[in-house]
Each structure stands twice: as structure tokens, then as C-alpha cells.
Amino acid sequence: MSSQIAVIKNKINNLLKEKGVVKTIPTPTTPETPEPAFTTLVEIYKKDEDAKAAVDFYAQAIVGQGFHTTCAEGYEEAKRAVDQFAESVGLDIYLLEVAKEIVAYGNSFTELISPSNLKDLKILPIGCTWQIYRSLDGNVLKIEQHKPPNKVEFRPEEIIHWRWSPVNGEAFGRGLLHSLSETLTYTLKFSDGSSTTRVVPSLYKIKAMLRDDLRKLLHHYIPKSAWVFIDASDSWIQTQANLIGKLDAGERIAVNKDVKIVEETLDLRGKLDFILQYFENAYIKALQTPIIKLFTTPGYTEASARVVQEQFERLIRSLQRYIKRVVERKIFSLIVMQEGYDPVAASVRLNWGQVEPPKVEFEHLLRAGELGFIRVDEVRRILAKIGFQLTEEAQSK
């Protein structure tokens, strides 16, 4: 009888098993790797001032206001254990670093040192080779970190893989810097039936080339001048050339020959502005940080600024919700279980922002004193704190 029940259970489990294919690589033994490589994205963050400013701005907006925790009634000890853990590992600083990596690279990897008795968190370097092995239904089997000459394998429960905004079921997420690093291809077809495929460089490389081209233009067209001395001998001209070459800005020389100064200049006004503006706007759109325009573009109205601010805040709130859920599920739940409590019942939550102290109303304070909830000297201390100037000491009741 028991064997028949087991067979029935297996049939039911097979029927309920997921059938949809998530993984794009056909075999679980083939690892998935991020594209582009994280090393490319790290280079962009380190070398491009606009990219770094956008990422840092986002991260500070997400976690810079701090956080506090709450719990269900009767589970204050579970909350206290979480607060002590947060203090010991510097959870606020940890979340700032995680937020930077999520925003920039769409991924971050945290090692849970001793997950069965969690005492520490370690952010692992993103700028190395990461590989993820998944089953066809998308479940992670193992994660590998390659940092030559070392290779480390992690079980899924040993790693918090922060994975933001994945596309098409990919094992890795995508951050702001992906849009700066991707190349584009297009195909041209000719009337004779032939075709050619061309590759458009990434925005990051186009910006680097533009910057270098501008540097060359400015350097080449630094004002130059030729001094033409009429009816002067070669030896006399050579003497004057040696003297002129040593002049500082603003210095003059006196000569007794007719002289004509010929200058080479270039007026670039209006010739490059629209090109530079196009790529600047493309960069800002890729970084999804339009608030930067408020500091660089004149003519923004208050209404336009408000729309930009609201759009930015929506993006911030979505990232805050993601980080909050992962922290509660992957970190707080472990700490609560270690203390012997049920994580669902304890409901220890991360809340963004600091706890605001209650606002003391003058009438409420006086009423509390009249009812005897607080002593007269306590009332006076509170009144002094909120700005009342008290001169005489009062006796406590």
C-alpha cells in the first residue's frame, strides 16, 4: 500500500514540476558568463567621470538616508539580535557598496561566511570572472569565481547573488554601465547583392574618441603667428627668431625693420556643438540620471525640474524595494532563525530612513504634567530643550 502511495506522489510531483525552459545554454554542465565582462564595466566606472558620478549619486540616494528595523509585537529579542548583527558588520556601509555594484553592474556577490551560523558578510570582487551553472528551469546549481590563479566554487546557499534587471532569463543582471559598453551592428545591402556588416563602437569608446579628437583639434589650432621682416638678412632674422621664441605672454620687442605678423586661427563656434550635445544626451539617457541636467543645462523651469525629480525618485524606490526584500530574506531571516525564532512570525523588517522622534506639543506636555505622568522638573527640562528660557528652579513634586 505504501509503495502505491509513493508512486502516486511521484506522478503528482512530476505533473507539478516546472516545464518551462529558462536557461539559454542547453546543458547544466555549461556555465553562463556575463556579457560584457565585469572587468570592462569596472574600467568604465573607474575612468569615466560621468559614469562614476551617476552610480555614486544613485547609491547615495538609495541608502544614504539610513535605515531602521521593526518587528512583530513580542519579538523584540529577535529584532535586537538583528540590530546587533547590523552594528557589528556595519550594515549601512555594506549596503552602500552593494548598491553601487547593483546600480553600476546589475550584480553583486556576497559570501555568507558560515551560513548556518551567520556572523559576517564579505563582498567579493566583481572585477573577475564569474560563472553560474543552472538547470534548464533556471535553478542555480553552483557559482564559480575565477581570479587567476585561483578558482573557488560556491554552493547557492553560500552566496547572495544580487541580480538586478536581468533580461531574457539571463543568469546575470544588467546595470547602468551596460548601455555604455554595448556595441551595435548593422548590415548594408548593395544593389549587386553583396552586403557588409559594420560595428558601431560603444558609447564609452565613442566618448573617449571624441575627447581625444577635441584635444587634438585644440592643440593643433593653438594660435600661431609668423613674423615677416621686410628686406632683412637671414642672419638678422635668425637672431630675432631666437629672441621671439623666448618671449613670455605679453612681452614685446622693438625692431628697426618693417614687420608684418601673420596669424593662423580657427573659429569652431557652432560647428561642433550639436555633435557634442547629441552624445552628451545619449550618455545621460544611458545612465538614466536626468537630474544631472539640472546642474548643467540653463533654462530648466520649476515644473521641468519637478518631473525630473519624480522620475528619479521612482527609480530609487524600486531599487530600495529590491534591496529591502533581499536583506530581509537572505540576512535577517538567518539571524532570526539562529536566535530560535520563526522568521515569518517575527517579521523583522528593514525600513529606509531614520526613526523620527515624536514632536512635542506644548499643550500635550502641560496636560501630561497636570495628570502626573511626568514630574515638574521633567517638564522644565523638555521645555528648555524646545527653546523655552527658564530662569527659576522649580521643586519636584
Side-chain angles (χ1 to χ4, degrees), residues 70-133:
T70 56
C71 67
E73 186 177 356
Y75 288 91
E76 286 73 18
E77 286 299 321
K79 176 184 179 302
R80 188 174 295 110
V82 169
D83 291 341
Q84 289 174 350
F85 175 83
E87 180 68 24
S88 67
V89 302
L91 193 62
D92 52 347
I93 299 173
Y94 162 79
L95 289 180
L96 178 60
E97 294 304 312
V98 167
K100 282 184 182 180
E101 294 195 344
I102 294 174
V103 170
Y105 319 121
N107 299 268
S108 184
F109 296 90
T110 298
E111 181 181 1
L112 298 176
I113 302 173
S114 184
S116 59
N117 186 21
L118 186 59
K119 294 181 179 178
D120 202 359
L121 301 169
K122 182 180 180 182
I123 299 177
L124 300 176
I126 193 77
C128 54
T129 301
W130 288 92
Q131 295 182 338
I132 295 179
Y133 294 77

Side-chain angles (χ1 to χ4, degrees), residues 97-385:
E97 294 304 312
V98 167
K100 282 184 182 180
E101 294 195 344
I102 294 174
V103 170
Y105 319 121
N107 299 268
S108 184
F109 296 90
T110 298
E111 181 181 1
L112 298 176
I113 302 173
S114 184
S116 59
N117 186 21
L118 186 59
K119 294 181 179 178
D120 202 359
L121 301 169
K122 182 180 180 182
I123 299 177
L124 300 176
I126 193 77
C128 54
T129 301
W130 288 92
Q131 295 182 338
I132 295 179
Y133 294 77
R134 294 192 298 170
S135 60
L136 294 181
D137 59 5
N139 290 322
V140 177
L141 304 175
K142 68 174 179 177
I143 299 174
E144 287 185 353
Q145 178 195 24
H146 296 256
K147 195 172 179 62
N150 301 311
K151 182 181 82 169
V152 183
E153 292 186 4
F154 296 98
R155 300 188 307 275
E157 63 270 17
E158 294 177 314
I159 288 285
I160 298 178
H161 176 197
W162 303 81
R163 174 172 167 257
W164 171 255
S165 191
V167 175
N168 197 34
E170 294 174 349
F172 296 90
R174 295 177 64 86
L176 294 184
L177 303 189
H178 280 76
S179 296
L180 301 183
S181 61
E182 298 281 9
T183 59
L184 297 174
T185 59
Y186 64 94
T187 301
L188 291 176
K189 295 184 178 180
F190 304 104
S191 57
D192 62 359
S194 62
S195 63
T196 182
T197 299
R198 295 180 179 175
V199 178
V200 181
S202 66
L203 277 174
Y204 169 64
K205 290 187 176 179
I206 289 175
K207 181 182 177 183
M209 289 186 285
L210 274 174
R211 177 175 290 182
D212 191 47
D213 290 341
L214 284 173
R215 178 190 64 82
K216 291 175 181 176
L217 276 173
L218 293 173
H219 184 75
H220 180 75
Y221 287 103
I222 290 174
K224 301 178 182 68
S225 60
W227 293 46
V228 181
F229 295 98
I230 310 300
D231 297 329
S233 66
D234 291 345
S235 61
W236 193 89
I237 290 176
Q238 184 61 49
T239 301
Q240 303 309 310
N242 293 336
L243 178 61
I244 293 169
K246 296 178 182 179
L247 292 177
D248 285 335
E251 286 189 297
R252 301 290 186 268
I253 64 171
V255 296
N256 59 355
K257 304 284 186 183
D258 291 336
V259 60
K260 179 173 66 173
I261 300 176
V262 180
E263 293 187 358
E264 178 189 31
T265 59
L266 175 69
D267 186 4
L268 294 175
R269 288 175 297 179
K271 296 181 180 179
L272 299 176
D273 286 353
F274 78 96
I275 298 175
L276 299 177
Q277 189 67 43
Y278 172 81
F279 284 107
E280 179 185 348
N281 289 337
Y283 230 69
I284 289 174
K285 285 188 288 185
L287 292 173
Q288 299 180 46
T289 319
I291 200 167
I292 293 176
K293 296 283 282 185
L294 295 177
F295 303 105
T296 60
T297 304
Y300 252 99
T301 64
E302 182 179 353
S304 299
R306 191 180 304 114
V307 171
V308 168
Q309 181 68 19
E310 289 173 356
Q311 178 187 355
F312 179 74
E313 287 177 354
R314 283 196 294 271
L315 291 169
I316 293 300
R317 286 195 294 270
S318 65
L319 282 159
Q320 285 179 329
R321 285 194 296 271
Y322 171 73
I323 293 174
K324 166 185 169 67
R325 297 308 178 198
V326 174
V327 169
E328 292 172 350
R329 188 172 66 253
K330 299 287 188 177
I331 299 175
F332 286 4
S333 292
L334 290 177
I335 301 300
V336 171
M337 284 191 291
Q338 286 174 196
E339 295 298 310
Y341 297 99
D342 177 6
V344 176
S347 188
V348 180
R349 299 287 181 241
L350 180 144
N351 305 280
W352 296 109
Q354 300 294 326
V355 178
E356 293 292 334
K359 186 177 180 180
V360 179
E361 298 289 345
F362 182 69
E363 294 79 6
H364 298 162
L365 185 61
L366 292 181
R367 184 59 177 162
E370 291 174 358
L371 295 174
F373 293 127
I374 52 178
R375 301 191 307 270
V376 172
D377 60 322
E378 292 173 332
V379 172
R380 291 176 62 83
R381 278 199 298 272
I382 297 172
L383 288 174
K385 281 185 178 180

